[in-house]
């Protein structure tokens, strides 16, 4: 089975949300700033629960934040 | 700079440095003269407790969330993933060390074993020190992999 690559728009959405800091996003979603960094760099794929929490912070549906593409 | 590092990463650094700082000199002294092991082990253990306490107190003081709320930050899902991966490899290292020790003990180690080449005739203190060294190596692997995991995944 082909591997899927998950990309996200977290960095873009943070800046659109009044230049929200990584720490502010981390505090609102109950994770550490290091996890936000790992997510933005694409080094870590979040759990479904965390993905929904991140999308909720930006007031977006999950598919507007995370995208799946063939690897 | 230090404030930018995750509390759990700093904890792993503290444990890694403390274990290495205590056990490298310990084994350098004990391996050539295993009969000194027990007394030195007590000293090393006390030294390790002091170092770990000092490092972890310093870590707590340097962590903003602990200073403001008094609570230790809970590990999030990335922290748990990094820890899980490190534990998996460390457990494998420990298993390899124990299996190697058993094979050496059963087969005998030239220069270490007696004429019969059995564990009962090996200098038992040295054999125990090798086993203990394996445990320390597994711990170093565990904390080293946690630190490596953070450096690889969470530093931009």
């Amino acid at each position: 089975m082909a591997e899927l690559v998950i990309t996200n728009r977290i960095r873009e959405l943070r800046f659109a949300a009044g230049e929200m800091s990584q720490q502010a996003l981390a505090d609102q979603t109950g994770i550490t700033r290091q996890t936000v960094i790992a997510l933005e760099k694409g080094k870590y794929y979040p759990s479904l629960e965390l993905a929904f929490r991140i999308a909720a912070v930006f007031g977006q549906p999950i598919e507007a934040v995370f995208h799946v593409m063939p690897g | 700079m230090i404030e930018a590092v995750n509390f759990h990463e700093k904890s792993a650094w503290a444990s890694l440095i403390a274990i290495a700082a205590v056990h490298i000199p310990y084994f350098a002294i004990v391996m050539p003269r295993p009969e000194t092991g027990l007394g030195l082990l007590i000293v090393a253990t006390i030294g390790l407790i002091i170092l770990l306490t000092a490092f972890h107190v310093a870590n707590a003081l340097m962590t903003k969330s602990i200073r403001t709320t008094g609570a230790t930050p809970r590990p999030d899902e990335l922290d748990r993933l990094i820890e899980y991966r490190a534990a998996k490899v460390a457990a494998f290292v420990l298993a390899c060390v124990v299996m190697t020790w058993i094979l050496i003990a059963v087969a005998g180690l030239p220069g270490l074993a007696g004429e019969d080449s059995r564990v009962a005739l090996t200098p038992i203190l040295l054999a125990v020190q090798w086993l203990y060294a394996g445990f320390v190596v597994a711990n170093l692997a565990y904390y080293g992999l946690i630190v490596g995991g953070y450096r690889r995944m969470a530093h931009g």
Side-chain angles (χ1 to χ4, degrees), chain B residues 56-92:
Chain B
H56 287 296
V57 166
N59 186 12
L61 291 173
M62 282 189 295
T63 304
K64 192 179 168 190
S65 64
I66 296 181
R67 285 201 308 270
T68 51
T69 65
T72 306
R74 290 177 57 189
D76 68 8
E77 57 184 54
L78 180 63
D79 296 323
R80 286 195 293 269
L81 176 72
I82 288 173
E83 208 175 306
Y84 167 74
R85 285 179 178 169
K88 211 166 67 167
V89 176
F92 180 72

Side-chain angles (χ1 to χ4, degrees), chain B residues 80-146:
Chain B
R80 286 195 293 269
L81 176 72
I82 288 173
E83 208 175 306
Y84 167 74
R85 285 179 178 169
K88 211 166 67 167
V89 176
F92 180 72
V93 170
L94 187 59
C96 287
V97 167
V98 171
M99 291 307 293
T100 306
W101 190 88
I102 289 170
L103 287 174
I104 290 170
V106 170
L109 184 68
L112 183 71
E115 282 180 32
D116 193 29
S117 294
R118 295 282 167 171
V119 70
L121 294 177
T122 60
I124 195 71
L125 288 174
L126 185 56
V128 168
Q129 292 300 339
W130 276 109
L131 196 56
Y132 181 53
F135 173 72
V136 170
V137 167
N139 270 280
L140 289 173
Y142 175 68
Y143 290 113
L145 286 163
I146 289 178

